[in-house]
Amino acid sequence: MAFIGRFFRFLRSMCAPITTVICFSCLLTFIFILYQPTPGPGIKQRLGWQSWDSISMSSEDLAAVSSTNTGSTSGQSEGDYATVELPEGVDWWNVTGTPGLGEDKVDTSSLPLDVWAPLLPHDTGLSEISVTHCYMDPIFAGDLCAPSTTTEKDAIRGPWVRVDRNLNDESGYMSGFLSLWYRRTRRLDINLIDSIRLLPTGEEPSPLDGWTKVDKSLRTGVYHANPLFLWYHVGKTASDMTPEDKNNIITEMDVLFGEDVPWWGFEKLEPPTTYRKEGITEGTYLTIRKGVHPVPKAPPLHFSRDGKFKIMQIADLHYSVSVGSCQDMREGTKLNELCTSPDGPGSDNLTNTLLGRMLDVEKPDLVVFTGDQLNGQDSSWDPKSVLAKFAKEVWRRGIPWAAVFGNHDSETGMGRDEQMKLMESMPYSLAQRGPHDLHGVGNYLLKVRSADPSMTHLLTLYFLDSGSYSKGFYNFWGMFTPTAYDWIRQDQIDWFLRESASINMIERPFTPDGAKDLGSINWRRQTDQLTPQTRRLAKPNAMMFFHIPLPEAYSTPDKNPSTKRPLDVGLSGLELNGNAEGSDGFFAKALLNATESNHVNAAESSKQEVKVVANGHCHITENCRRVKGVWMCFGGGGSYSGYGKVGFDRRFRVYEISDYGEKIRTWKRLEGVEAEPEGHVVDDMVLVGTGATP
């Protein structure tokens, strides 16, 4: 009996450890064997995360993309912009945010309600509007000049948000700071604002039901200005609204200085809070956005089916907040009469008209702005108002565009970082901020691919910020006076060489895919259009764009081995050299060192990757000069707002890249005369490829 008792006591002592081991074994079995999570088919198929970025398009989507937009957008007149059309024969597409191609989804519930950020796609409405007048800058005065509120009102209607724009900016310091405020709410039981009107004293909307008048005039502080009051109409609550109603509620407010177009998706309210007085003040307008208007995205850059790609360079627009004033015009012409007329359209608008004609004639695949989009020199004191108009003729036609900065762009009002954020958010923009650890803003590259299913990289476009000024001094009034231009720095050289080294070599000359594995699409081989060449592995040809020319742009040009004539075509010497005095050796260290081949002993290693450098800066210099195998071309002035020379027609440089990137041709299209609205072409020449000087 004693033995049996000891045996059962032994079993009882082992019960807890055995139970623990069994339970732990079951847990491990469940975790590592039974539990096998499968978030999606990509895990089973061992697909990378990039596979989830692909976009499937239904026939309805394709129809939506390929059809031209005929409706109007709030703030933009009918026909102001074109939807992206799916190019015929292009068998790949990777654009998001384009109507019909799967618009980018934004979690609007994560957007801040208490910060004025007009570029955010808020779909939440406004519940209340106020106007305050303060003789201290609200940035420093804070709550001292804010509208009165309570914690309860903030919780229900939303906190007060100030539109960071002084409506009295053009009226002088003694007029004080006149600020617009609004409340934004996500509550579904609050009536939202769906309409705003600006009315003088004694006028009111009819019928008056639902309208509220803001107590303070929008012209408070301006001497002898007739009062103008803001009235806003409160409509339905969010819970009672239909989708159409939600598209008509006011989701953002802003201020525009000048007489030109407002920011994308916004519309101007009339009358202006400050009227334009020639040479004294510019018009000041309230602008509003109704609903949310997705910004059209640029299509991916690609060659046509016959291997062509066209670039138009636009140099030195020099736009201002005002409509601009013409420079160096020929007297006695109709154009000069329009320029000098007090009621004339202004030089900026005349330039836009000319630019529109040139775009319609050339029909480029890409437009590149090579700096000095803004005039600087205190005339572009509100860069946002200027940026709203400088590219409008381009994006209205649905043309992708890129830009670099010039020396004048960040002289007043806003730095390059802030300007680049605005440009990145504009329709059809391909401009990029670039790495933060480099000199300047806007060091980036774009790749132009083939239109066949291989999506082969056939052309590289480099963009660099050549800076503004390296030296200068501040005068008695605190204004900066520059004395020396800036240049491309060593860290930019290192960045370019790294990017160049990362580009894969391709078999050149390129032949498009002739397979028939994509339904009815049949890509015809184009070898019969190319001059017979030895096929080789090499990087694609490259072009480079920046503003301030290199010192080598004025060096002794190469000579044609046949004629012994210098390879220098176009006008130069009409103005002083525009290059910077300093240099980190970009030409020798970067352009000459970046070769077509990564193989040291290859024959192609002696050929530079970058064949053409395009710059602006010098308005009446427009030649192309080849130095040590690299073509350096000036864009020439295309704007009536920038300096010129009487008898020197405004012009735009065009580059046509053909034979799938092997051939680069250029010409300049001049403005022409009244009887020649399409202008005329000069200096048509082949820089690279068949027909070029060896």
Side-chain angles (χ1 to χ4, degrees):
M1 294 295 295
F3 171 79
I4 295 174
R6 286 195 301 270
F7 178 76
F8 280 107
R9 283 196 299 272
F10 169 77
L11 291 179
R12 185 175 62 184
S13 64
M14 293 296 294
C15 183
I18 292 174
T19 303
T20 302
V21 171
I22 293 174
C23 291
F24 186 71
S25 300
C26 292
L27 180 62
L28 293 179
T29 302
F30 176 78
I31 292 175
F32 292 105
I33 298 177
L34 299 180
Y35 178 67
Q36 290 294 326
T38 55
I43 299 296
K44 295 180 179 179
Q45 299 172 13
R46 299 184 181 276
L47 297 177
W49 62 267
Q50 294 92 338
S51 300
W52 297 102
D53 285 345
S54 61
I55 298 172
S56 61
M57 293 183 291
S58 64
S59 57
E60 292 81 2
D61 291 330
L62 290 172
V65 175
S66 59
S67 62
T68 302
N69 180 61
T70 56
S72 61
T73 301
S74 178
Q76 316 297 330
S77 61
E78 185 173 346
D80 271 359
Y81 74 97
T83 56
V84 179
E85 295 186 3
L86 184 64
E88 181 181 355
V90 177
D91 300 297
W92 52 273
W93 201 258
N94 60 2
V95 174
T96 58
T98 304
L101 289 177
E103 296 176 2
D104 295 331
K105 299 299 182 182
V106 178
D107 180 13
T108 56
S109 63
S110 66
L111 302 179
L113 297 181
D114 56 350
V115 176
W116 181 68
L119 297 184
L120 293 181
H122 274 292
D123 60 359
T124 49
L126 311 183
S127 62
E128 192 174 350
I129 299 175
S130 183
V131 175
T132 63
H133 182 249
C134 189
Y135 284 100
M136 290 181 62
D137 191 329
I139 295 177
F140 304 107
D143 294 340
L144 180 64
C145 294
S148 60
T149 187
T150 64
T151 304
E152 181 183 8
K153 288 183 178 180
D154 287 348
I156 297 175
R157 294 184 168 272
W160 283 112
V161 176
R162 185 175 71 88
V163 176
D164 190 17
R165 315 275 272 172
N166 180 15
L167 291 171
N168 285 348
D169 206 311
E170 280 273 86
S171 303
Y173 181 78
M174 296 304 295
S175 63
F177 293 84
L178 192 66
S179 300
L180 191 68
W181 299 74
Y182 61 70
R183 296 183 189 267
R184 186 190 297 279
T185 180
R186 289 196 185 97
R187 289 181 60 116
L188 301 180
D189 58 343
I190 300 298
N191 299 83
L192 302 178
I193 298 173
D194 57 15
S195 184
I196 293 178
R197 294 184 64 182
L198 307 181
L199 299 173
T201 303
E203 293 188 22
E204 59 185 29
S206 179
L208 196 57
D209 184 38
W211 287 92
T212 300
K213 177 184 177 183
V214 175
D215 294 335
K216 198 169 292 294
S217 167
L218 293 170
R219 294 170 179 164
T220 302
V222 181
Y223 187 63
H224 279 180
N226 296 324
L228 183 71
F229 292 94
L230 185 150
W231 292 75
Y232 62 89
H233 183 267
V234 176
K236 300 177 181 178
T237 64
S239 60
D240 294 332
M241 288 184 179
T242 64
E244 183 178 356
D245 292 332
K246 291 180 180 179
N247 288 331
N248 288 321
I249 62 172
I250 296 175
T251 56
E252 191 54 87
M253 302 187 70
D254 199 354
V255 175
L256 170 71
F257 297 102
E259 304 295 325
D260 288 290
V261 297
W263 199 255
W264 168 263
F266 286 75
E267 59 182 278
K268 286 197 295 188
L269 297 179
E270 297 282 356
T273 61
T274 300
Y275 282 98
R276 178 192 177 201
K277 296 180 181 178
E278 180 69 29
I280 302 176
T281 61
E282 299 301 325
T284 303
Y285 294 85
L286 293 188
T287 65
I288 60 172
R289 185 185 70 206
K290 291 188 174 182
V292 179
H293 304 281
V295 178
K297 299 292 185 70
L301 300 179
H302 60 86
F303 280 81
S304 63
R305 292 187 62 173
D306 58 353
K308 293 183 179 180
F309 185 80
K310 184 184 286 189
I311 301 172
M312 177 183 282
Q313 178 188 356
I314 300 175
D316 300 88
L317 289 175
H318 283 267
Y319 282 179
S320 303
V321 174
S322 69
V323 294
S325 57
C326 292
Q327 305 291 321
D328 302 312
M329 302 297 295
R330 182 180 290 139
E331 295 183 1
T333 63
K334 183 177 180 180
L335 191 61
N336 187 59
E337 292 177 4
L338 288 173
C339 284
T340 56
S341 172
D343 299 324
S347 60
D348 291 358
N349 290 323
L350 289 173
T351 301
N352 270 334
T353 301
L354 171 63
L355 176 56
R357 293 207 314 267
M358 300 296 101
L359 291 170
D360 290 339
V361 172
E362 293 291 353
K363 294 179 173 55
D365 300 296
L366 175 69
V367 168
V368 178
F369 296 93
T370 51
D372 282 357
Q373 287 75 242
L374 277 63
N375 189 51
Q377 308 169 67
D378 294 330
S379 70
S380 52
W381 47 270
D382 184 62
K384 184 178 180 182
S385 296
V386 184
L387 291 176
K389 66 176 178 176
F390 88 93
K392 67 180 182 181
E393 296 300 327
V394 178
W395 56 252
R396 279 177 173 174
R397 290 164 172 79
I399 303 173
W401 59 273
V404 293
F405 287 115
N407 53 292
H408 287 296
D409 284 315
S410 54
E411 285 183 344
T412 56
M414 186 182 292
R416 299 188 181 216
D417 271 304
E418 292 79 9
Q419 287 189 41
M420 182 56 76
K421 290 178 183 177
L422 292 173
M423 285 199 289
E424 287 176 333
S425 67
M426 293 171 65
Y428 303 104
S429 170
L430 292 172
Q432 301 173 24
R433 196 256 178 246
H436 287 259
D437 57 348
L438 301 182
H439 275 82
V441 176
N443 302 291
Y444 60 102
L445 65 87
L446 298 174
K447 298 178 180 180
V448 187
R449 301 184 180 275
S450 64
D452 70 342
S454 70
M455 297 185 294
T456 304
H457 171 197
L458 298 179
L459 177 69
T460 309
L461 305 176
Y462 292 100
F463 302 86
L464 290 171
D465 185 353
S466 55
S468 52
Y469 306 104
S470 60
K471 295 180 183 178
F473 63 89
Y474 289 91
N475 60 21
F476 177 79
W477 305 104
M479 303 297 294
F480 180 76
T481 302
T483 57
Y485 293 123
D486 207 347
W487 61 89
I488 298 173
R489 303 293 182 139
Q490 182 63 48
D491 57 1
Q492 294 171 285
I493 295 175
D494 297 337
W495 170 83
F496 164 70
L497 291 175
R498 288 194 302 270
E499 293 295 332
S500 174
S502 68
I503 292 176
N504 295 325
M505 294 186 292
I506 62 172
E507 188 180 71
R508 294 175 52 186
F510 171 79
T511 303
D513 187 357
K516 297 183 179 180
D517 56 351
L518 292 172
S520 61
I521 298 175
N522 181 14
W523 287 89
R524 180 169 46 88
R525 291 186 178 272
Q526 307 292 330
T527 50
D528 58 326
Q529 299 180 16
L530 300 176
T531 300
Q533 301 180 41
T534 303
R535 306 189 74 81
R536 69 191 194 280
L537 286 177
K539 297 176 188 175
N541 283 331
M543 299 177 64
M544 182 174 286
F545 299 88
F546 49 79
H547 181 69
I548 299 176
L550 298 174
E552 288 77 10
Y554 302 96
S555 296
T556 302
D558 298 340
K559 289 186 178 180
N560 188 316
S562 301
T563 64
K564 306 303 181 183
R565 293 182 179 179
L567 295 175
D568 186 3
V569 180
L571 295 174
S572 62
L574 300 178
E575 56 187 323
L576 296 176
N577 292 359
N579 62 283
E581 296 177 0
S583 173
D584 280 0
F586 183 79
F587 184 82
K589 294 179 182 178
L591 293 179
L592 297 186
N593 274 339
T595 56
E596 284 188 350
S597 175
N598 292 327
H599 302 302
V600 176
N601 296 324
E604 288 78 17
S605 63
S606 61
K607 298 180 181 179
Q608 289 81 20
E609 177 199 6
V610 176
K611 301 300 192 299
V612 180
V613 172
N615 60 263
H617 189 56
C618 302
H619 303 189
I620 52 177
T621 301
E622 46 89 274
N623 65 311
C624 272
R625 176 178 297 185
R626 199 179 83 177
V627 178
K628 295 185 178 180
V630 179
W631 283 99
M632 285 174 281
C633 299
F634 288 81
S639 173
Y640 300 118
S641 300
Y643 76 84
K645 185 179 180 65
V646 175
F648 184 91
D649 291 342
R650 266 59 179 187
R651 61 201 62 204
F652 303 95
R653 182 171 288 280
V654 179
Y655 296 95
E656 182 185 72
I657 302 90
S658 58
D659 292 353
Y660 301 98
E662 295 296 323
K663 183 177 180 179
I664 302 177
R665 173 180 160 220
T666 187
W667 63 85
K668 290 159 292 191
R669 184 167 290 277
L670 277 58
E671 61 181 318
V673 295
E674 295 176 17
E676 193 180 34
E678 294 185 353
H680 57 280
V681 170
V682 297
D683 296 337
D684 188 344
M685 58 185 295
V686 177
L687 304 178
V688 180
T690 305
T693 302

